Amino acid sequence: MRRRRYPSDMTDAEWALIEPLLPPAACETGRGRPEKHPRREIVDGIRYLVDNGIKWRAMPSDFPPWRTIYGFARRWAAAGIVNVIRDQLRRRVRLSSGKTPQATAVIVDSQSVKASETVSRDSRGYDAGKKINGRKRHIVVDTRGLVLLVMVTAADVTDRDAAKDVLFRLHLMHPEIAIVWADSAYAGALVDWAKERLDIKVKTVRRPPEARGFVVLPRRWVVERSLSWIMRARRHCRDHERLPQVSETLITWASITLMTRRLTRKPARKSAQPLPSVPMPTAT
């Protein structure tokens, strides 16, 4: 095992949360050879890439080969393992904070980000409102700001057009969802469609007409905070992935890291008690 040296490396407590959620190795099921590299190093490699924003080929030499890490990341994502890890950790975070394990009310929003030259023309577009040429991230979070679903599209896809696909996926994955809060871009025919087809009530939170400058809006501030959490991982300051599915996977890994750290965070130390006062000796 390599020595833990990077801030993105998992602690033993974090690995204890992740390891049981990974699928069994192929050699354990009699379908392949033993794996050459420990899985903890594979996960640490993914987290290092997401946290530092490096190229896949620039993976430090003390990690397994980048092709190995990339292959595991793609296979786990295609098999739905990454989403299972995210959902199981989210349930644990909600239970630890006194909430029910399943959310029934969520918040949806989108974020347009610039795309690098590695993103093809087929999966990028121009967001005229934000004046950004790149991609758009559609994200659904619960009232604690924990991610339930991520979908990446071209930036020229409007929120209202993408919302049908987002809500349909959300309904399939989490049929218990009953209320979705959103901004005014999701108003209109989408509200009736979601109620009739999915039995989901879409509530729009509008900006007060008399407001000037930045205003914290009820419910919507939660998803805005979640987007800022994701942007702390430097890989997500700009979209570099050739495939939108890879972008969705790496965003999910950023949310997984957030939850493992929250679950293993040590409680804050109690403030030190003041020392008893000692009378100073008087001069003689």
Side-chain angles (χ1 to χ4, degrees):
M1 289 291 294
R2 48 178 290 276
R3 183 171 63 88
R4 184 177 183 272
R5 62 179 63 186
Y6 304 113
S8 59
D9 288 343
M10 288 181 293
T11 62
D12 293 339
E14 288 182 282
W15 177 236
L17 293 174
I18 297 292
E19 185 180 17
L21 302 177
L22 295 175
C27 62
E28 298 177 5
T29 60
R31 298 180 180 179
R33 296 176 296 177
E35 296 176 354
K36 183 177 180 180
H37 302 280
R39 288 190 169 184
R40 181 169 179 173
E41 295 183 5
I42 300 294
V43 177
D44 278 340
I46 298 173
R47 288 166 55 120
Y48 182 89
L49 177 132
V50 173
D51 187 53
N52 294 279
I54 64 169
K55 301 176 181 178
W56 283 102
R57 296 176 183 269
M59 192 68 62
S61 59
D62 56 338
F63 284 111
W66 74 268
R67 292 184 183 275
T68 302
I69 299 175
Y70 180 78
F72 271 95
R74 290 294 304 273
R75 288 194 294 272
W76 287 343
I81 302 302
V82 180
N83 290 340
V84 170
I85 296 174
R86 176 198 62 200
D87 294 341
Q88 291 297 327
L89 292 176
R90 187 182 62 253
R91 293 187 182 98
R92 295 194 60 168
V93 174
R94 288 180 59 86
L95 288 173
S96 65
S97 60
K99 296 286 186 178
T100 58
Q102 298 289 352
T104 58
V106 296
I107 309 99
V108 62
D109 203 356
S110 66
Q111 178 192 46
S112 296
V113 293
K114 294 181 179 180
S116 62
E117 71 281 358
T118 56
V119 177
S120 65
R121 184 181 301 177
D122 297 336
S123 62
R124 69 190 299 159
Y126 182 72
D127 184 346
K130 302 293 180 62
K131 296 181 174 57
I132 290 178
N133 186 341
R135 284 178 175 162
K136 184 176 289 188
R137 300 163 180 165
H138 308 269
I139 182 173
V140 180
V141 302
D142 65 3
T143 55
R144 306 289 297 179
L146 306 176
V147 175
L148 281 83
L149 185 145
V150 177
M151 189 178 79
V152 177
T153 65
D156 57 355
V157 177
T158 64
D159 294 349
R160 190 177 295 106
D161 293 339
K164 288 189 176 182
D165 197 3
V166 171
L167 294 180
F168 183 73
R169 293 188 189 184
L170 183 67
H171 180 68
L172 292 179
M173 298 169 59
H174 304 281
E176 68 278 358
I177 300 296
I179 300 176
V180 175
W181 283 290
D183 60 21
S184 56
Y186 297 85
L190 176 67
V191 177
D192 298 331
W193 178 87
K195 186 62 178 178
E196 295 174 1
R197 301 293 183 88
L198 308 177
D199 196 23
I200 294 178
K201 187 174 184 180
V202 178
K203 294 185 176 181
T204 57
V205 181
R206 299 181 180 274
R207 179 184 174 90
E210 69 280 359
R212 295 292 183 272
F214 174 76
V215 178
V216 177
L217 300 178
R219 302 297 181 182
R220 283 174 53 184
W221 69 269
V222 176
V223 68
E224 297 290 349
R225 182 184 61 179
S226 299
L227 290 170
S228 69
W229 287 341
I230 291 172
M231 292 291 284
R232 290 179 183 175
R234 296 190 176 185
R235 186 73 177 189
H236 304 314
C237 295
R238 182 185 291 259
D239 199 321
H240 304 280
E241 312 308 323
R242 296 184 184 274
L243 300 176
Q245 295 83 358
V246 178
S247 292
E248 296 170 359
T249 300
L250 298 184
I251 292 172
T252 303
W253 273 111
S255 67
I256 289 173
T257 300
L258 174 70
M259 289 186 287
T260 56
R261 288 176 173 172
R262 183 175 298 185
L263 287 169
T264 58
R265 182 171 51 197
K266 295 181 179 180
R269 297 178 59 184
K270 295 182 179 179
S271 58
Q273 297 294 330
L275 296 176
S277 58
V278 178
M280 297 295 293
T282 58
T284 57

